[in-house]
Amino acid sequence: MIKNYFKIAWRNLWKHKFYTFINMFGLALSIGCSIILFQFITYHLSFDTYHHNAKNIYRVVHRITFDDGVPIYDQGASIALANGVKAADPRVNEAGILLRMHDINVTIPQTDGIGKKMFAEHENIGITDGHFFNLFDYQWEQGNKSTSLTEPNTVVLSHGLAQKYFGSQDVIGKTIRVDNKNTFRVTGVVADHPANTDIKADLFLSLSTLKNIYPDVYPLMHDNWSFINSTNSIYLELKEGVNPQLMETDINKLAVKALTAAGAKPYHFMVLPLSEVHFDGRFAGVIQRSLLSTLGVIGLLLIIIACVNFINMATAQSFKRAKEIGTRKVLGSSPAAIFIQFISETSYIVLFAALLSFALVVVAMPVLNSWLQTELSFNPFTDVRLIVFISVVLLLIIGAAGSYPALILSRFKPVNALKNQVAGKVQSAGFTRKGLIIVQNVIAQVLIISTILITLQVRYLKTADLGFNKNAVIMLPVPDNSKTKTDYLRNQLLADPAIKNVSFCYRAPSSTADKGGSIKYDTRDWEKFVGYTIMGDAGYIKTFGIQLVAGRNIVESDTAREYLINETLAKKLGVKDPQQVIGRKFAAGDLSDNPGTIVGVVKDFHAKSLYTAIAPEYISTFRKGYQYVGVKIASGNPSAVIDHIKKEWQAVYPDNVFEYRFLDQQIADFYQKEDLLNKLITSSAVIAIFISCLGLLGLISLLTLQRTKEIGIRKVLGASIANITGLLSVDFLKLVLIAVVVASPIAWLMMNKYLQNFAYRIDIQWWVFVLAAFAALFIAFITVSFQSIKAAMANPVDSLKNSD
């Protein structure tokens, strides 16, 4: 019996190949997209969940709030805090420290003593000890987690780095030299970390070497609770059953003891669950959970759109199968048997659609991994979680898309079905069909509007006036910021007429790095807000095109300190006229408690991304803090200029790897999240529109078939092609117009909430909704007109002859 159901189902589907293809291809697209979105969502949800006691591991973060009431969030904490909490609090089972280093040069001495290999490493360097490896699961290929980093000047490498540096895994006892200053002996090798971790360190230097790496600030780093850096990651493993809120209270009590009540007042330390580190945007989270929820909803909506197509076409075809159903009932088929027959047809389509979707995913996955910067995999026969998801999706589609048409068709009365008198049922299904078309187009319209607004916001982020000139500026690392070397390199570079300006600095404007602290103005007490430091030499404002609005530029000096402040800081200090601050005393706690002098005021510029408002900032020279040099080049032949820069740079730093980046590209990278969201929403919108158009095409084909005789009579009576095309198209366009009206306020509410995440954002303009409406109506009209014109141009004689 079951075999017979599927045999008849196959015949019916083959008989109506066009509609079967539309249904199958639409479902394949939606299933494929839902699989990709599911893999993307589960990939991000899996970050750092594989560690043996992940549920009890927390990262210590903090919030600073001064009298102005504006909270400042930071993911860093001090080494002193980790040591103090571990020693004083019985709730803590283990405390781990990981100090991140952004950029280093690694030199590998050759065994013959002649020559050397050099490598530049970025963002994958950590300073730690065995306590860190007690918290996090690493597979040790060589060495031991308890002893490998106990001694100074020892290092643990990842499998990949060991192979990269030495060409083999036989590396224990070999040495590497870091930044041409400290030599480290390899004492361990760990397997490469998986893709789904935020702790992407491959090179681990021993924590006991910290005083050799940072000799100038080691005492502060080790002993001072307030010496907090964003690159310091402090992790605590709490004992089973410990309430993290109690742990927070304990840490803040210890802070009061270490810093005094007055010193600890601005600080509030918090413990962030390891499972939230990847998602909390306040503390440099990579992606927000709300985005994953949005993508999950989009995946569901795409499936709904495809199901709507299936239901609409199945109910629209019901008149063609009325006699078949009547005959079956007369011959003894029960409503249940007919219901099963139509569910069998649905199952066939869904099964083949699933197989087609697998092929689409296999083709798309490598492209998407490059596009989304992920490492998604597709193993539909071994990934249990994916198997369960696909099974549930297929069952839901079969149930949702197949049940309603099967129920409608199985309830036809035999006599009425044989006489094709099923108008009541068809009319009822028609109302449902119209409602489903509206729902389908509401979803597509919301996605269209969202795509337009996100695209405009991303374009604004990348093209907004930042208050400085980011074009034609090359950023180079400065391995050694001694006066002799920096002055020599500056002179050599400026000797080239193709190089306009040079500036040594800590970072270029619009960086992700934060430095700042308390400030003191004139004869007043220390201010109750944070001032942010920009370390740069006298060429900083010229190189980056920052506008001076009052006073003069700073002069390079290692003794007398001079400051430029921005307009926002001047306003924060209560000064209306920038000229009034010129010559006033100014002290910045993070640079020196000894006051310097304000010599100028610069026009506000964006030292951070456009997510945040411009903060009170000051620029001052601080040679020890210079890590980069910005080189402003003239337009013309950049390749030749870069070759010259490379030659001069390598002459000064022969033991380092030459690397460079253009500042405009560096700034564009800040908005990778928005680029990612834009790509995902745009892709979803295109697919939703395409599936909707497939549905409209199938529906108009069926409905013109139903009205063949009417069209023939109208043409005989003199109706033109335009009249008939309008007649067939207008009902669909009305439904799309209703969908536009419903979708517009929904899209406005959603996008208005999204744009609140940015301190600087576009305004939602009325023309966006008009454009989206026009696009939706135009696409619908083109889709519907294709079949309408074809029907209108048919010979009326054939139409009347072949119609029932």
Side-chain angles (χ1 to χ4, degrees):
M1 191 68 180
I2 299 296
K3 182 180 178 182
N4 185 53
Y5 283 140
F6 281 100
K7 184 184 290 185
I8 295 170
W10 174 257
R11 288 174 181 169
N12 279 314
L13 294 175
W14 187 253
K15 183 180 178 181
H16 305 101
K17 292 186 283 292
F18 177 68
Y19 306 112
T20 299
F21 172 77
I22 286 177
N23 278 326
M24 188 172 69
F25 194 64
L27 286 170
L29 279 176
S30 65
I31 293 170
C33 287
S34 68
I35 289 172
I36 290 170
L37 290 174
F38 175 78
Q39 291 296 84
F40 182 81
I41 292 167
T42 54
Y43 169 76
H44 282 285
L45 290 175
S46 70
F47 266 63
D48 288 311
T49 57
Y50 59 88
H51 301 292
H52 69 280
N53 201 18
K55 68 180 189 311
N56 289 332
I57 298 176
Y58 296 80
R59 183 175 180 178
V60 181
V61 296
H62 71 280
R63 180 185 70 233
I64 301 177
T65 310
F66 288 96
D67 290 354
D68 59 2
V70 179
I72 301 169
Y73 295 94
D74 190 90
Q75 68 269 29
S78 66
I79 299 174
L81 181 150
N83 295 332
V85 169
K86 179 67 168 66
D89 202 310
R91 295 186 176 92
V92 177
N93 197 42
E94 183 64 281
I97 299 169
L98 182 70
L99 311 182
R100 306 297 294 270
M101 296 178 71
H102 288 292
D103 306 288
I104 65 169
N105 276 272
V106 177
T107 306
I108 312 297
Q110 298 304 287
T111 53
D112 58 7
I114 301 173
K116 56 192 172 185
K117 292 192 291 186
M118 295 185 296
F119 303 91
E121 300 295 344
H122 309 284
E123 309 291 342
N124 64 337
I125 313 104
I127 304 173
T128 189
D129 59 12
H131 296 289
F132 171 82
F133 290 105
N134 290 335
L135 292 177
F136 298 101
D137 295 345
Y138 283 82
Q139 182 182 341
W140 284 78
E141 297 179 352
Q142 299 176 58
N144 183 285
K145 69 177 182 180
S146 301
T147 60
S148 288
L149 292 176
T150 53
E151 298 179 16
N153 295 96
T154 53
V155 62
V156 171
L157 302 177
S158 69
H159 179 98
L161 281 191
Q163 194 69 34
K164 173 181 170 182
Y165 292 164
F166 300 102
S168 73
Q169 294 300 305
D170 182 20
V171 298
I172 298 297
K174 295 185 177 180
T175 60
I176 67 172
R177 190 159 176 80
V178 174
D179 285 338
N180 207 31
K181 296 175 183 176
N182 296 291
T183 300
F184 293 84
R185 177 170 51 89
V186 179
T187 55
V189 177
V190 294
D192 293 336
H193 60 73
N196 57 334
T197 179
D198 287 311
I199 307 171
K200 298 188 183 297
D202 298 305
L203 189 152
F204 302 92
L205 305 175
S206 58
L207 188 62
S208 55
T209 321
L210 190 63
K211 57 187 173 185
N212 296 334
I213 299 172
Y214 299 116
D216 294 339
V217 293
Y218 173 74
L220 285 172
M221 292 180 72
H222 193 267
D223 302 323
N224 193 332
W225 271 60
S226 63
F227 194 92
I228 298 172
N229 193 307
S230 301
T231 58
N232 295 356
S233 300
I234 307 300
Y235 298 96
L236 303 178
E237 180 189 344
L238 305 187
K239 292 181 178 177
E240 196 69 40
V242 170
N243 186 338
Q245 297 300 320
L246 294 177
M247 189 68 244
E248 276 190 16
T249 302
D250 286 355
I251 293 174
N252 285 291
K253 286 180 179 177
L254 289 171
V256 171
K257 291 181 180 179
L259 298 171
T260 72
K265 183 182 177 183
Y267 295 94
H268 179 73
F269 294 96
M270 298 173 280
V271 289
L272 184 68
L274 186 63
S275 59
E276 291 301 315
V277 169
H278 189 67
F279 304 105
D280 199 323
R282 298 173 302 172
F283 307 107
V286 174
I287 195 169
Q288 293 183 342
R289 284 188 183 273
S290 58
L291 174 57
L292 298 184
S293 301
T294 301
L295 295 176
V297 171
I298 288 173
L300 178 62
L301 293 177
L302 290 175
I303 290 175
I304 290 173
I305 290 174
C307 289
V308 166
N309 279 354
F310 189 95
I311 293 169
N312 283 342
M313 278 189 279
T315 54
Q317 287 186 86
S318 59
F319 82 99
K320 296 180 66 177
R321 304 189 65 176
K323 286 185 178 179
E324 174 197 339
I325 296 163
T327 302
R328 286 178 178 277
K329 286 202 168 186
V330 168
L331 293 176
S333 286
S334 64
I338 294 172
F339 181 88
I340 293 172
Q341 175 63 55
F342 286 107
I343 285 292
S344 301
E345 293 181 16
T346 304
S347 301
Y348 251 130
I349 292 176
V350 173
L351 179 61
F352 281 111
L355 294 175
L356 179 58
S357 75
F358 291 175
L360 294 174
V361 171
V362 168
V363 171
M365 195 67 82
V367 178
L368 289 169
N369 276 329
S370 172
W371 206 32
L372 303 176
Q373 298 182 347
T374 54
E375 295 185 23
L376 305 182
S377 60
F378 181 61
N379 303 299
F381 306 110
T382 57
D383 187 337
V384 176
R385 201 166 42 182
L386 182 59
I387 292 170
V388 171
F389 172 76
I390 292 172
S391 301
V392 170
V393 167
L394 297 186
L395 289 173
L396 285 174
I397 291 174
I398 292 169
S403 296
Y404 178 73
L407 200 62
I408 292 290
L409 295 169
S410 64
R411 289 184 177 180
F412 283 171
K413 292 181 181 179
V415 175
N416 293 339
L418 289 169
K419 293 180 178 180
N420 264 348
Q421 295 175 349
V422 290
K425 293 282 185 183
V426 173
Q427 186 177 18
S428 173
F431 286 125
T432 303
R433 187 162 59 246
K434 289 179 180 179
L436 291 174
I437 290 173
I438 291 172
V439 170
Q440 187 182 52
N441 281 278
V442 165
I443 295 169
Q445 185 67 11
V446 168
L447 289 173
I448 291 172
I449 295 171
S450 300
T451 297
I452 294 172
L453 289 172
I454 292 172
T455 301
L456 291 173
Q457 176 64 15
V458 171
R459 183 183 299 172
Y460 172 75
L461 292 174
K462 292 183 176 182
T463 60
D465 181 8
L466 300 177
F468 64 92
N469 191 344
K470 63 183 178 180
N471 298 318
V473 177
I474 299 172
M475 299 303 299
L476 311 168
V478 178
D480 183 346
N481 55 26
S482 63
K483 179 176 175 58
T484 305
K485 290 193 174 184
T486 57
D487 285 352
Y488 178 80
L489 180 59
R490 178 190 289 110
N491 293 334
Q492 291 299 106
L493 292 175
L494 289 175
D496 186 343
I499 295 176
K500 294 182 176 181
N501 290 297
V502 173
S503 173
F504 288 88
C505 56
Y506 174 67
R507 291 289 189 277
S510 283
S511 76
T512 55
D514 262 341
K515 279 192 176 293
S518 300
I519 60 173
K520 187 175 183 181
Y521 172 67
D522 203 23
T523 58
R524 295 173 3 187
D525 291 333
W526 291 92
E527 301 295 329
K528 303 300 183 182
F529 60 87
V530 173
Y532 290 90
T533 308
I534 297 171
M535 301 176 190
D537 63 12
Y540 193 84
I541 66 172
K542 289 182 180 179
T543 301
F544 297 109
I546 298 169
Q547 185 178 344
L548 193 67
V549 296
R552 61 170 175 82
N553 190 15
I554 51 177
V555 175
E556 191 74 28
S557 174
D558 293 327
T559 53
R561 188 167 299 283
E562 295 183 340
Y563 292 92
L564 297 173
I565 68 171
N566 68 349
E567 293 172 311
T568 297
L569 177 51
K571 291 172 185 174
K572 272 276 195 181
L573 294 172
V575 179
K576 295 181 179 180
D577 181 4
Q579 293 290 347
Q580 294 177 358
V581 302
I582 306 301
R584 300 297 180 95
K585 296 297 182 184
F586 186 86
D590 64 318
L591 293 179
S592 171
D593 288 341
N594 297 323
T597 305
I598 298 174
V599 296
V601 178
V602 295
K603 189 176 178 62
D604 279 343
F605 63 95
H606 292 277
K608 296 283 177 287
S609 72
L610 298 181
Y611 287 107
T612 56
I614 293 175
E617 294 154 352
Y618 46 91
I619 303 171
S620 186
T621 58
F622 190 68
R623 184 178 300 280
K624 290 182 179 179
Y626 298 162
Q627 295 183 4
Y628 289 89
V629 55
V631 182
K632 178 76 171 180
I633 65 174
S635 58
N637 186 359
S639 298
V641 181
I642 291 170
D643 288 341
H644 172 71
I645 292 171
K646 180 179 180 180
K647 178 184 175 183
E648 298 298 341
W649 189 93
Q650 288 182 328
V652 179
Y653 306 113
D655 296 324
N656 298 92
V657 179
F658 176 78
E659 292 182 313
Y660 70 91
R661 288 198 75 188
F662 280 95
L663 179 58
D664 55 354
Q665 183 55 53
Q666 184 174 305
I667 293 171
D669 289 347
F670 290 166
Y671 306 110
Q672 287 181 346
K673 291 180 186 178
E674 270 45 60
D675 277 332
L676 170 62
L677 178 61
N678 193 22
K679 290 172 182 176
L680 291 171
I681 297 295
T682 301
S683 302
S684 301
V686 170
I687 292 169
I689 293 165
F690 184 74
I691 296 173
S692 299
C693 288
L694 282 178
L696 286 176
L697 182 62
L699 270 179
I700 192 65
S701 300
L702 283 168
L703 295 178
T704 52
L705 192 63
Q706 291 179 28
R707 302 175 70 175
T708 301
K709 182 180 286 187
E710 176 191 344
I711 293 168
I713 293 171
R714 287 180 179 275
K715 287 200 74 175
V716 169
L717 294 176
S720 65
I721 292 175
N723 294 144
I724 294 172
T725 301
L727 175 72
L728 295 173
S729 304
V730 69
D731 288 341
F732 285 101
L733 296 180
K734 284 179 181 176
L735 297 177
V736 174
L737 187 59
I738 292 171
V740 167
V741 173
V742 173
S744 295
I746 296 173
W748 185 89
L749 289 170
M750 289 174 54
M751 294 311 300
N752 186 58
K753 184 177 180 181
Y754 162 73
L755 291 171
Q756 298 306 313
N757 294 323
F758 301 90
Y760 302 93
R761 53 187 176 267
I762 60 169
D763 294 323
I764 301 178
Q765 302 289 344
W766 61 269
W767 61 264
V768 171
F769 300 94
V770 174
L771 177 63
F774 176 79
L777 289 168
F778 180 75
I779 293 169
F781 178 74
I782 294 296
T783 305
V784 172
S785 295
F786 173 77
Q787 192 65 30
S788 299
I789 293 171
K790 183 180 175 183
M793 293 178 68
N795 190 328
V797 176
D798 294 334
S799 300
L800 294 170
K801 186 189 298 182
N802 296 329
S803 59
D804 292 332

